[in-house]
Amino acid sequence: YHRRGGRKKGIILGVILGILIILLVLIFSVRIKDVEVSGNKQYTKEQIESLLFDGKWSRNSAFCYYQNRFQEHKSIPFIEEYKINFKSPTRVEVVVFEKSVVGCVSYMSSYMYFDKEGIVVESSAIRTEGVPQITGLTFDYVVLNQPLPVEDSNIFYTILNVTKILTKNNLNAERIYFNSRKEMTLYFDSIKVFFGSDTLLEEKIALLPTLLPELEGKSGTLDMQNYDGDAGSIPFKPD
């Protein structure tokens, strides 16, 4: 009787163990196949995907769930935080929260990226497309997560304003230069646009999508400092 009871228990344990092994095999064979990405501007969907799912086990659904839930998230330049939402065992949505960046300055062979308040949020050896480089500002040091130590912090309001109006007009300036009188020059390939003060700034920038294509292939300065509402009166000085 005891032998039969022990045998029965052994069979039950064997069945349970077999079921557990099958379950574990099933769990560890399920892989993430579809990745949706939202909230990304600095990176493409493919870049985010390769940054997050870069290891042997990273696409395993169970491992990814555990890692996302219980381990510290990866540190990715320009990304404040990200969330991985499981839509199904094979499909996830990655929601990206990017750091707010309006410009960058060159400092000691690195590019220091700052937000609308002038706080340095990122340091990188790579120059990110779509973020204007600001030149003409003077500072002796730069500290990450601290404001850029410039003479007049109101300059950051001007930079934010300019970048907002440029985006609104589907324009991308590679560089914005401020001289000692805080007068602005914007660089678009081989064309420099001298704005002077920020008077009528919105109107001046709104003219550029029409003016710049007419100057394609040329090199020189579009002088808008004395613009008074008459687009025909804007002089172009070739280099």
Side-chain angles (χ1 to χ4, degrees):
Y1 177 79
H2 284 297
R3 274 171 67 189
R4 200 188 297 168
R7 198 172 158 197
K8 207 173 180 181
K9 273 185 185 175
I11 290 166
I12 291 165
L13 281 170
V15 169
I16 290 167
L17 194 63
I19 290 166
L20 282 172
I21 289 166
I22 291 163
L23 281 171
L24 284 169
V25 168
L26 284 171
I27 286 166
F28 285 102
S29 65
V30 176
R31 293 179 64 75
I32 294 162
K33 290 174 184 170
D34 298 317
V35 180
E36 295 168 25
V37 180
S38 61
N40 55 313
K41 285 179 189 171
Q42 301 273 8
Y43 294 95
T44 64
K45 174 193 179 291
E46 290 73 25
Q47 285 173 322
I48 292 287
E49 204 171 333
S50 64
L51 283 163
L52 294 183
F53 303 100
D54 59 346
K56 188 182 175 183
W57 286 92
S58 59
R59 279 189 181 267
N60 175 269
S61 301
F63 182 78
C64 179
Y65 180 82
Y66 168 79
Q67 204 177 35
N68 181 56
R69 190 79 191 270
F70 301 108
Q71 291 190 345
E72 200 174 313
H73 280 185
K74 289 182 180 182
S75 176
I76 303 171
F78 302 105
I79 303 293
E80 193 75 58
E81 183 54 283
Y82 63 85
K83 283 196 304 187
I84 298 177
N85 299 324
F86 278 80
K87 300 290 185 183
S88 79
T90 60
R91 190 163 70 91
V92 296
E93 180 198 22
V94 179
V95 183
V96 173
F97 301 94
E98 292 189 341
K99 289 177 180 176
S100 171
V101 170
V102 297
C104 71
V105 293
S106 179
Y107 180 74
M108 290 179 70
S109 73
S110 283
Y111 292 103
M112 314 301 283
Y113 292 83
F114 58 87
D115 66 11
K116 61 183 181 181
E117 270 129 27
I119 293 166
V120 180
V121 295
E122 198 64 64
S123 167
S124 176
I126 299 160
R127 176 84 168 80
T128 302
E129 222 175 288
V131 178
Q133 183 181 350
I134 312 301
T135 56
L137 304 182
T138 53
F139 43 82
D140 300 321
Y141 61 91
V142 178
V143 181
L144 204 58
N145 301 317
Q146 294 291 321
L148 268 177
V150 295
E151 278 178 39
D152 182 10
S153 60
N154 286 327
I155 201 94
F156 299 118
Y157 173 76
T158 306
I159 294 165
L160 175 65
N161 199 24
V162 171
T163 53
K164 271 185 177 174
I165 303 167
L166 286 170
T167 303
K168 186 179 164 185
N169 288 279
N170 295 312
L171 291 166
N172 177 25
E174 293 97 48
R175 188 151 73 92
I176 302 172
Y177 167 72
F178 290 92
N179 65 17
S180 57
R181 294 188 297 278
K182 302 289 186 291
E183 293 172 327
M184 241 184 319
T185 303
L186 270 66
Y187 289 73
F188 300 90
D189 293 325
S190 58
I191 303 296
K192 298 185 281 288
V193 183
F194 180 55
F195 282 127
S197 68
D198 57 2
T199 314
L200 297 174
L201 191 61
E202 192 144 2
E203 290 88 336
K204 288 174 183 176
I205 293 175
L207 288 170
L208 294 180
T210 307
L211 296 174
L212 290 174
E214 291 174 5
L215 299 169
E216 201 172 334
K218 294 181 181 179
S219 178
T221 304
L222 197 61
D223 190 348
M224 301 185 87
Q225 66 173 320
N226 298 317
Y227 171 72
D228 58 1
D230 178 14
S233 67
I234 301 166
F236 177 70
K237 299 167 187 170
D239 286 343

PDB file of all heavy atoms in Angstrom, residues 4 42 46-48 50 71-72 76-77 92 96 110-111 118 126 148 156 166 188 206 231:
ATOM      1  N   ARG A   4       2.528   1.697  -3.273  1.00  0.00           N
ATOM      2  CA  ARG A   4       1.590   2.203  -4.284  1.00  0.00           C
ATOM      3  C   ARG A   4       1.329   3.704  -4.090  1.00  0.00           C
ATOM      4  O   ARG A   4       1.264   4.468  -5.043  1.00  0.00           O
ATOM      5  CB  ARG A   4       0.291   1.420  -4.199  1.00  0.00           C
ATOM      6  CG  ARG A   4      -0.541   1.526  -5.492  1.00  0.00           C
ATOM      7  CD  ARG A   4      -1.900   0.927  -5.362  1.00  0.00           C
ATOM      8  NE  ARG A   4      -1.837  -0.501  -5.103  1.00  0.00           N
ATOM      9  CZ  ARG A   4      -2.890  -1.219  -4.727  1.00  0.00           C
ATOM     10  NH1 ARG A   4      -4.052  -0.625  -4.540  1.00  0.00           N
ATOM     11  NH2 ARG A   4      -2.793  -2.519  -4.515  1.00  0.00           N
ATOM     12  N   GLN A  42      13.903  63.192 -31.249  1.00  0.00           N
ATOM     13  CA  GLN A  42      15.356  63.147 -31.425  1.00  0.00           C
ATOM     14  C   GLN A  42      15.797  61.846 -32.096  1.00  0.00           C
ATOM     15  O   GLN A  42      16.778  61.826 -32.835  1.00  0.00           O
ATOM     16  CB  GLN A  42      16.066  63.242 -30.059  1.00  0.00           C
ATOM     17  CG  GLN A  42      15.734  64.496 -29.275  1.00  0.00           C
ATOM     18  CD  GLN A  42      16.641  65.648 -29.631  1.00  0.00           C
ATOM     19  OE1 GLN A  42      17.425  65.563 -30.565  1.00  0.00           O
ATOM     20  NE2 GLN A  42      16.521  66.745 -28.921  1.00  0.00           N
ATOM     21  N   GLU A  46      13.402  53.103 -35.205  1.00  0.00           N
ATOM     22  CA  GLU A  46      14.411  52.045 -35.313  1.00  0.00           C
ATOM     23  C   GLU A  46      15.542  52.248 -34.293  1.00  0.00           C
ATOM     24  O   GLU A  46      16.033  51.281 -33.708  1.00  0.00           O
ATOM     25  CB  GLU A  46      15.008  52.011 -36.736  1.00  0.00           C
ATOM     26  CG  GLU A  46      14.055  51.515 -37.816  1.00  0.00           C
ATOM     27  CD  GLU A  46      12.957  52.528 -38.172  1.00  0.00           C
ATOM     28  OE1 GLU A  46      13.178  53.746 -37.974  1.00  0.00           O
ATOM     29  OE2 GLU A  46      11.897  52.077 -38.635  1.00  0.00           O
ATOM     30  N   GLN A  47      15.935  53.510 -34.086  1.00  0.00           N
ATOM     31  CA  GLN A  47      17.003  53.791 -33.112  1.00  0.00           C
ATOM     32  C   GLN A  47      16.568  53.450 -31.691  1.00  0.00           C
ATOM     33  O   GLN A  47      17.322  52.837 -30.939  1.00  0.00           O
ATOM     34  CB  GLN A  47      17.420  55.265 -33.200  1.00  0.00           C
ATOM     35  CG  GLN A  47      18.271  55.595 -34.410  1.00  0.00           C
ATOM     36  CD  GLN A  47      18.513  57.086 -34.562  1.00  0.00           C
ATOM     37  OE1 GLN A  47      17.627  57.911 -34.309  1.00  0.00           O
ATOM     38  NE2 GLN A  47      19.706  57.459 -34.980  1.00  0.00           N
ATOM     39  N   ILE A  48      15.332  53.850 -31.339  1.00  0.00           N
ATOM     40  CA  ILE A  48      14.803  53.537 -29.999  1.00  0.00           C
ATOM     41  C   ILE A  48      14.735  52.028 -29.809  1.00  0.00           C
ATOM     42  O   ILE A  48      15.129  51.486 -28.767  1.00  0.00           O
ATOM     43  CB  ILE A  48      13.400  54.172 -29.793  1.00  0.00           C
ATOM     44  CG1 ILE A  48      13.480  55.702 -29.734  1.00  0.00           C
ATOM     45  CG2 ILE A  48      12.705  53.622 -28.539  1.00  0.00           C
ATOM     46  CD1 ILE A  48      14.067  56.289 -28.474  1.00  0.00           C
ATOM     47  N   SER A  50      16.492  49.656 -31.300  1.00  0.00           N
ATOM     48  CA  SER A  50      17.817  49.024 -31.169  1.00  0.00           C
ATOM     49  C   SER A  50      18.494  49.392 -29.851  1.00  0.00           C
ATOM     50  O   SER A  50      19.286  48.617 -29.323  1.00  0.00           O
ATOM     51  CB  SER A  50      18.710  49.403 -32.352  1.00  0.00           C
ATOM     52  OG  SER A  50      18.959  50.785 -32.360  1.00  0.00           O
ATOM     53  N   GLN A  71      13.797  46.540 -12.669  1.00  0.00           N
ATOM     54  CA  GLN A  71      15.159  47.039 -12.769  1.00  0.00           C
ATOM     55  C   GLN A  71      15.178  48.495 -13.225  1.00  0.00           C
ATOM     56  O   GLN A  71      14.207  48.979 -13.793  1.00  0.00           O
ATOM     57  CB  GLN A  71      15.971  46.164 -13.741  1.00  0.00           C
ATOM     58  CG  GLN A  71      16.240  44.775 -13.191  1.00  0.00           C
ATOM     59  CD  GLN A  71      17.232  44.009 -14.051  1.00  0.00           C
ATOM     60  OE1 GLN A  71      17.532  44.368 -15.176  1.00  0.00           O
ATOM     61  NE2 GLN A  71      17.759  42.921 -13.513  1.00  0.00           N
ATOM     62  N   GLU A  72      16.305  49.148 -12.948  1.00  0.00           N
ATOM     63  CA  GLU A  72      16.446  50.560 -13.342  1.00  0.00           C
ATOM     64  C   GLU A  72      16.475  50.665 -14.866  1.00  0.00           C
ATOM     65  O   GLU A  72      17.113  49.850 -15.539  1.00  0.00           O
ATOM     66  CB  GLU A  72      17.761  51.099 -12.770  1.00  0.00           C
ATOM     67  CG  GLU A  72      17.791  52.614 -12.679  1.00  0.00           C
ATOM     68  CD  GLU A  72      19.036  53.113 -11.968  1.00  0.00           C
ATOM     69  OE1 GLU A  72      19.364  52.572 -10.902  1.00  0.00           O
ATOM     70  OE2 GLU A  72      19.665  54.040 -12.509  1.00  0.00           O
ATOM     71  N   ILE A  76      19.558  56.880 -21.556  1.00  0.00           N
ATOM     72  CA  ILE A  76      19.709  57.174 -22.981  1.00  0.00           C
ATOM     73  C   ILE A  76      19.833  58.694 -23.148  1.00  0.00           C
ATOM     74  O   ILE A  76      19.008  59.437 -22.608  1.00  0.00           O
ATOM     75  CB  ILE A  76      18.500  56.652 -23.797  1.00  0.00           C
ATOM     76  CG1 ILE A  76      18.327  55.141 -23.575  1.00  0.00           C
ATOM     77  CG2 ILE A  76      18.655  56.957 -25.276  1.00  0.00           C
ATOM     78  CD1 ILE A  76      17.044  54.568 -24.155  1.00  0.00           C
ATOM     79  N   PRO A  77      20.860  59.162 -23.873  1.00  0.00           N
ATOM     80  CA  PRO A  77      21.000  60.615 -24.072  1.00  0.00           C
ATOM     81  C   PRO A  77      19.722  61.244 -24.638  1.00  0.00           C
ATOM     82  O   PRO A  77      19.087  60.663 -25.515  1.00  0.00           O
ATOM     83  CB  PRO A  77      22.153  60.719 -25.082  1.00  0.00           C
ATOM     84  CG  PRO A  77      22.928  59.460 -24.909  1.00  0.00           C
ATOM     85  CD  PRO A  77      21.921  58.410 -24.540  1.00  0.00           C
ATOM     86  N   VAL A  92       4.560  45.356 -27.939  1.00  0.00           N
ATOM     87  CA  VAL A  92       4.722  46.374 -26.895  1.00  0.00           C
ATOM     88  C   VAL A  92       4.671  47.777 -27.503  1.00  0.00           C
ATOM     89  O   VAL A  92       4.946  47.964 -28.679  1.00  0.00           O
ATOM     90  CB  VAL A  92       6.062  46.217 -26.116  1.00  0.00           C
ATOM     91  CG1 VAL A  92       6.112  44.909 -25.363  1.00  0.00           C
ATOM     92  CG2 VAL A  92       7.267  46.391 -27.021  1.00  0.00           C
ATOM     93  N   VAL A  96       8.104  57.413 -25.101  1.00  0.00           N
ATOM     94  CA  VAL A  96       9.354  58.122 -24.820  1.00  0.00           C
ATOM     95  C   VAL A  96       9.058  59.531 -24.322  1.00  0.00           C
ATOM     96  O   VAL A  96       8.234  60.245 -24.891  1.00  0.00           O
ATOM     97  CB  VAL A  96      10.221  58.175 -26.109  1.00  0.00           C
ATOM     98  CG1 VAL A  96      11.439  59.054 -25.909  1.00  0.00           C
ATOM     99  CG2 VAL A  96      10.640  56.775 -26.529  1.00  0.00           C
ATOM    100  N   SER A 110      32.914  69.173 -26.726  1.00  0.00           N
ATOM    101  CA  SER A 110      31.586  68.547 -26.563  1.00  0.00           C
ATOM    102  C   SER A 110      30.511  69.561 -26.906  1.00  0.00           C
ATOM    103  O   SER A 110      30.745  70.770 -26.885  1.00  0.00           O
ATOM    104  CB  SER A 110      31.377  68.085 -25.121  1.00  0.00           C
ATOM    105  OG  SER A 110      32.074  66.899 -24.884  1.00  0.00           O
ATOM    106  N   TYR A 111      29.328  69.055 -27.198  1.00  0.00           N
ATOM    107  CA  TYR A 111      28.173  69.928 -27.383  1.00  0.00           C
ATOM    108  C   TYR A 111      27.325  69.836 -26.121  1.00  0.00           C
ATOM    109  O   TYR A 111      26.946  68.753 -25.689  1.00  0.00           O
ATOM    110  CB  TYR A 111      27.352  69.502 -28.604  1.00  0.00           C
ATOM    111  CG  TYR A 111      28.092  69.726 -29.900  1.00  0.00           C
ATOM    112  CD1 TYR A 111      28.690  68.660 -30.574  1.00  0.00           C
ATOM    113  CD2 TYR A 111      28.215  70.999 -30.441  1.00  0.00           C
ATOM    114  CE1 TYR A 111      29.393  68.868 -31.762  1.00  0.00           C
ATOM    115  CE2 TYR A 111      28.912  71.218 -31.623  1.00  0.00           C
ATOM    116  CZ  TYR A 111      29.497  70.145 -32.277  1.00  0.00           C
ATOM    117  OH  TYR A 111      30.193  70.355 -33.434  1.00  0.00           O
ATOM    118  N   GLY A 118      17.799  77.635 -20.027  1.00  0.00           N
ATOM    119  CA  GLY A 118      19.253  77.729 -20.097  1.00  0.00           C
ATOM    120  C   GLY A 118      19.971  76.683 -19.267  1.00  0.00           C
ATOM    121  O   GLY A 118      21.189  76.741 -19.105  1.00  0.00           O
ATOM    122  N   ILE A 126      28.286  64.247 -30.063  1.00  0.00           N
ATOM    123  CA  ILE A 126      27.551  64.239 -31.341  1.00  0.00           C
ATOM    124  C   ILE A 126      26.707  65.496 -31.470  1.00  0.00           C
ATOM    125  O   ILE A 126      26.035  65.907 -30.522  1.00  0.00           O
ATOM    126  CB  ILE A 126      26.653  62.977 -31.435  1.00  0.00           C
ATOM    127  CG1 ILE A 126      27.527  61.719 -31.386  1.00  0.00           C
ATOM    128  CG2 ILE A 126      25.817  62.982 -32.699  1.00  0.00           C
ATOM    129  CD1 ILE A 126      26.786  60.473 -31.005  1.00  0.00           C
ATOM    130  N   LEU A 148      23.497  77.736 -17.886  1.00  0.00           N
ATOM    131  CA  LEU A 148      24.693  78.259 -18.561  1.00  0.00           C
ATOM    132  C   LEU A 148      25.020  79.618 -17.948  1.00  0.00           C
ATOM    133  O   LEU A 148      24.143  80.491 -17.883  1.00  0.00           O
ATOM    134  CB  LEU A 148      24.419  78.441 -20.050  1.00  0.00           C
ATOM    135  CG  LEU A 148      24.743  77.306 -21.005  1.00  0.00           C
ATOM    136  CD1 LEU A 148      24.329  77.698 -22.414  1.00  0.00           C
ATOM    137  CD2 LEU A 148      26.210  76.946 -20.990  1.00  0.00           C
ATOM    138  N   PHE A 156      17.910  83.429 -23.234  1.00  0.00           N
ATOM    139  CA  PHE A 156      17.279  82.117 -23.411  1.00  0.00           C
ATOM    140  C   PHE A 156      15.820  82.255 -23.838  1.00  0.00           C
ATOM    141  O   PHE A 156      15.309  81.426 -24.578  1.00  0.00           O
ATOM    142  CB  PHE A 156      17.412  81.271 -22.145  1.00  0.00           C
ATOM    143  CG  PHE A 156      18.843  80.999 -21.776  1.00  0.00           C
ATOM    144  CD1 PHE A 156      19.362  81.455 -20.574  1.00  0.00           C
ATOM    145  CD2 PHE A 156      19.686  80.334 -22.651  1.00  0.00           C
ATOM    146  CE1 PHE A 156      20.688  81.231 -20.248  1.00  0.00           C
ATOM    147  CE2 PHE A 156      21.020  80.097 -22.337  1.00  0.00           C
ATOM    148  CZ  PHE A 156      21.526  80.553 -21.134  1.00  0.00           C
ATOM    149  N   LEU A 166      10.691  79.373 -35.813  1.00  0.00           N
ATOM    150  CA  LEU A 166      11.317  78.595 -36.893  1.00  0.00           C
ATOM    151  C   LEU A 166      10.549  77.294 -37.122  1.00  0.00           C
ATOM    152  O   LEU A 166      10.255  76.932 -38.260  1.00  0.00           O
ATOM    153  CB  LEU A 166      12.781  78.284 -36.546  1.00  0.00           C
ATOM    154  CG  LEU A 166      13.795  79.423 -36.650  1.00  0.00           C
ATOM    155  CD1 LEU A 166      15.126  79.020 -36.038  1.00  0.00           C
ATOM    156  CD2 LEU A 166      13.989  79.876 -38.098  1.00  0.00           C
ATOM    157  N   PHE A 188      21.660  79.488 -42.498  1.00  0.00           N
ATOM    158  CA  PHE A 188      20.968  78.443 -43.256  1.00  0.00           C
ATOM    159  C   PHE A 188      21.876  78.048 -44.414  1.00  0.00           C
ATOM    160  O   PHE A 188      21.941  78.762 -45.426  1.00  0.00           O
ATOM    161  CB  PHE A 188      19.634  78.952 -43.820  1.00  0.00           C
ATOM    162  CG  PHE A 188      18.651  79.411 -42.771  1.00  0.00           C
ATOM    163  CD1 PHE A 188      18.644  80.735 -42.347  1.00  0.00           C
ATOM    164  CD2 PHE A 188      17.731  78.535 -42.217  1.00  0.00           C
ATOM    165  CE1 PHE A 188      17.737  81.176 -41.390  1.00  0.00           C
ATOM    166  CE2 PHE A 188      16.819  78.967 -41.263  1.00  0.00           C
ATOM    167  CZ  PHE A 188      16.827  80.282 -40.846  1.00  0.00           C
ATOM    168  N   ALA A 206       8.744  84.646 -40.935  1.00  0.00           N
ATOM    169  CA  ALA A 206       7.660  84.164 -41.815  1.00  0.00           C
ATOM    170  C   ALA A 206       7.973  84.404 -43.295  1.00  0.00           C
ATOM    171  O   ALA A 206       7.436  83.705 -44.163  1.00  0.00           O
ATOM    172  CB  ALA A 206       6.343  84.831 -41.436  1.00  0.00           C
ATOM    173  N   ALA A 231       8.796  93.621 -48.056  1.00  0.00           N
ATOM    174  CA  ALA A 231       9.709  92.504 -48.360  1.00  0.00           C
ATOM    175  C   ALA A 231      10.655  92.845 -49.497  1.00  0.00           C
ATOM    176  O   ALA A 231      11.763  92.312 -49.574  1.00  0.00           O
ATOM    177  CB  ALA A 231       8.899  91.250 -48.703  1.00  0.00           C
TER     178      ALA A 231
END
